[in-house]
Amino acid sequence: MCIGVTPAWKEPVHFSVFSMRMLVNGRSAIRFRERPSRSHCIGSSPTSFGSPQRNGLALAATPERKVQVQTSLDSSNLAPLPSGIRSTGIRQNLRPQLPWNDEEFRILSIDGGGIRGILPAKILDECERHFLNGSTVASCFDMIAGTSTGGIIAMGLGAGMRASDILALYTDHGEEIFPPELPPEGFGGWFAKLGKQGRDLRRVRYNPDALRALLERNFGAKKLGDSERRLVIPTFDAHTKVNVLKTPHHPDFRGDWSNRMVDIALATSAAPTYLPPHRIGSQYYADGGIWANNPVMLALVDALTCYDLDRRKVRILSLGCGSGELRMTEEQIERGGQWHWRDIISVAMDLSSQNADGQAGLLIGRDRLCRIDEPDQIRPIPLDDVVAAKQILPDAGQRLFNERKAELAEFFGSSRPVYEAFHGSRCGQ
């Protein structure tokens, strides 16, 4: 089967069915129109397709019938082109490395996972209680990387919050961010549930106002450049370009320091279908977990390229959010199909996380990487299931801390100095 494109001023061009799918995925405005015909050919007259401003596609389906497909590459439904692309003016040669002393470089990396951020927050809370007499864990790390909910935790630590206070944001206010769905009662309840599911197909599930208000109360007007710890926060923009927002810990990093912590936290946690993309300036941003749910490699690459640093001097604590155990089902193996692989995004995020830890371990040695997660849940907790997360994850975090206490203690033997900022208020700007 082929599709012939016959604008009035050009020769016919043929596309495969795959190309047609690409047109659909490329957001072309496509309409199918049937009309009876015995011709296998596609007319090329202007009367069939209109003016050059409205090109046409026609599909010869059978000798008895012809399906005409009209398309216009209408960009009215796309996000506006930003006034400045982040990659504009990016350095093309090697980044000049700053000097580093002989001390080890400690990185804290925190995965994304919605309300499951309770798990890493609980582990860090226990570290503060046992190793630091209640002082913030941020004081013991040179760099903190976080994605999505991990980005919120990283931002909180950068703002000077203790892990115990961050944990309370999840346990005390989780229902405000992700209001639980009440079980249906009677016929009316089931009808309401079906209606909600239909709405979820067409719009985001949650209103971001509750999360925004919570972040405003805790971060206030603080900017990314106000953090005393180096921060690395992934997201992606409306043109599906990956973005890594960073504190000004290198002279090259001058574009992000003036953004409010609230805005960056909302940007990295804007999980598609759950929360809407968040606007910063002229650009829209969404959840960095789509491409870097485990940000450990982002932090490691940043450290090794910013500083003249022996990679064996790097020590990393990488915390997961309880991803659960993901296995292929019999239906996926025997039948395949989109329905049986409908959760493929979760599989992709988990596999990319494994890959990130594997690469980091190869670069610095697995003895320098401490990875802590809860991988043995048969059914992963949904990222918006507040009830299950509060029931399961605090105890899981306590148990993981007890099991890995000796390894964790190695990260908290001494505090690390505040980094030197090259832009922003901390350097007099």
Side-chain angles (χ1 to χ4, degrees):
M1 182 181 295
C2 67
I3 299 172
V5 181
T6 319
W9 68 97
K10 290 186 179 180
E11 293 299 320
V13 180
H14 294 281
F15 290 93
S16 66
V17 172
F18 175 78
S19 299
M20 185 62 198
R21 291 174 181 170
M22 293 300 290
L23 283 171
V24 173
N25 294 333
R27 300 180 182 178
S28 300
I30 296 177
R31 301 187 302 276
F32 292 85
R33 185 175 68 194
E34 278 191 31
R35 64 180 182 185
S37 172
R38 294 184 179 274
S39 172
H40 294 273
C41 301
I42 299 175
S44 59
S45 67
T47 57
S48 299
F49 295 94
S51 65
Q53 284 73 29
R54 294 187 60 81
N55 299 347
L57 299 179
L59 174 62
T62 67
E64 301 299 325
R65 174 173 84 170
K66 179 162 57 177
V67 179
Q68 180 174 311
V69 184
Q70 292 184 330
T71 178
S72 60
L73 298 180
D74 183 6
S75 62
S76 61
N77 64 331
L78 300 181
L81 185 68
S83 57
I85 303 296
R86 283 176 52 86
S87 59
T88 301
I90 193 171
R91 179 183 292 278
Q92 299 299 314
N93 57 352
L94 288 176
R95 180 180 298 161
Q97 291 180 305
L98 302 174
W100 187 258
N101 53 37
D102 290 334
E103 297 182 7
E104 72 177 13
F105 192 100
R106 293 191 209 133
I107 296 174
L108 171 61
S109 174
I110 310 170
D111 288 12
I115 193 62
R116 300 198 307 261
I118 289 174
L119 183 65
K122 175 62 177 177
I123 294 172
L124 294 174
D125 175 42
E126 290 301 316
C127 290
E128 287 180 347
R129 294 174 185 274
H130 288 80
F131 306 135
L132 301 173
N133 295 320
S135 298
T136 176
V137 293
S139 63
C140 294
F141 292 93
D142 296 287
M143 179 180 288
I144 304 174
T147 300
S148 193
T149 197
I152 293 177
I153 297 173
M155 210 70 60
L157 294 175
M161 297 177 66
R162 296 180 302 173
S164 56
D165 297 325
I166 297 173
L167 177 61
L169 299 182
Y170 291 88
T171 56
D172 296 347
H173 302 282
E175 288 88 351
E176 300 172 18
I177 303 169
F178 301 120
E181 183 178 341
L182 298 177
E185 295 183 1
F187 179 78
W190 283 105
F191 186 79
K193 181 176 182 179
L194 290 174
K196 182 182 183 304
Q197 292 174 344
R199 289 192 300 272
D200 288 346
L201 293 174
R202 295 178 285 110
R203 67 182 80 176
V204 292
R205 188 173 300 177
Y206 300 105
N207 190 314
D209 290 347
L211 176 59
R212 181 185 291 108
L214 185 63
L215 295 173
E216 293 278 6
R217 291 198 299 269
N218 287 274
F219 297 167
K222 289 184 178 179
K223 299 178 179 179
L224 182 62
D226 294 330
S227 172
E228 295 185 346
R229 302 294 148 185
R230 300 168 184 84
L231 298 178
V232 175
I233 311 293
T235 182
F236 74 94
D237 64 31
H239 297 270
T240 60
K241 304 296 183 183
V242 298
N243 291 258
V244 183
L245 310 179
K246 303 176 184 179
T247 47
H249 51 269
H250 190 278
D252 285 356
F253 304 157
R254 60 177 63 90
D256 302 325
W257 68 266
S258 61
N259 293 321
R260 296 194 313 152
M261 289 186 173
V262 170
D263 288 320
I264 294 178
L266 288 170
T268 190
S269 61
T273 75
Y274 290 90
L275 293 165
H278 183 69
R279 182 171 183 169
I280 302 178
S282 63
Q283 185 60 278
Y284 287 89
Y285 296 92
D287 196 334
I290 297 299
W291 67 278
N293 201 54
N294 179 348
V296 63
M297 275 301 295
L298 300 180
L300 179 56
V301 168
D302 191 79
L304 295 178
T305 54
C306 283
Y307 301 98
D308 186 11
L309 177 63
D310 180 356
R311 59 184 178 174
R312 288 291 291 168
K313 290 289 186 179
V314 179
R315 185 183 294 275
I316 301 176
L317 173 58
S318 175
L319 300 179
C321 289
S323 59
E325 186 177 35
L326 298 173
R327 297 180 180 179
M328 287 189 190
T329 64
E330 292 184 5
E331 290 81 5
Q332 288 170 338
I333 294 173
E334 296 177 0
R335 299 180 184 178
Q338 295 182 6
W339 172 254
H340 296 300
W341 282 98
R342 62 191 180 277
D343 293 330
I344 186 61
I345 184 63
S346 298
V347 177
M349 291 168 68
D350 184 68
L351 293 176
S352 67
S353 176
Q354 294 179 40
N355 179 61
D357 278 323
Q359 290 177 329
L362 289 172
L363 283 172
I364 66 173
R366 299 188 185 279
D367 59 325
R368 306 287 295 179
L369 171 63
C370 177
R371 172 68 175 178
I372 300 179
D373 197 4
E374 180 75 345
D376 54 358
Q377 299 175 78
I378 299 302
R379 297 184 64 183
I381 299 173
L383 63 82
D384 60 343
D385 192 339
V386 179
V387 174
K390 290 171 64 173
Q391 288 177 346
I392 297 172
L393 295 181
D395 291 340
Q398 181 70 64
R399 173 175 51 79
L400 289 170
F401 172 81
N402 293 336
E403 293 173 354
R404 310 291 290 275
K405 185 175 181 179
E407 294 174 74
L408 287 167
E410 297 180 6
F411 290 91
F412 301 100
S414 61
S415 61
R416 304 297 302 135
V418 174
Y419 82 91
E420 177 187 359
F422 291 92
H423 308 283
S425 58
R426 290 188 51 237
C427 71
Q429 293 185 9

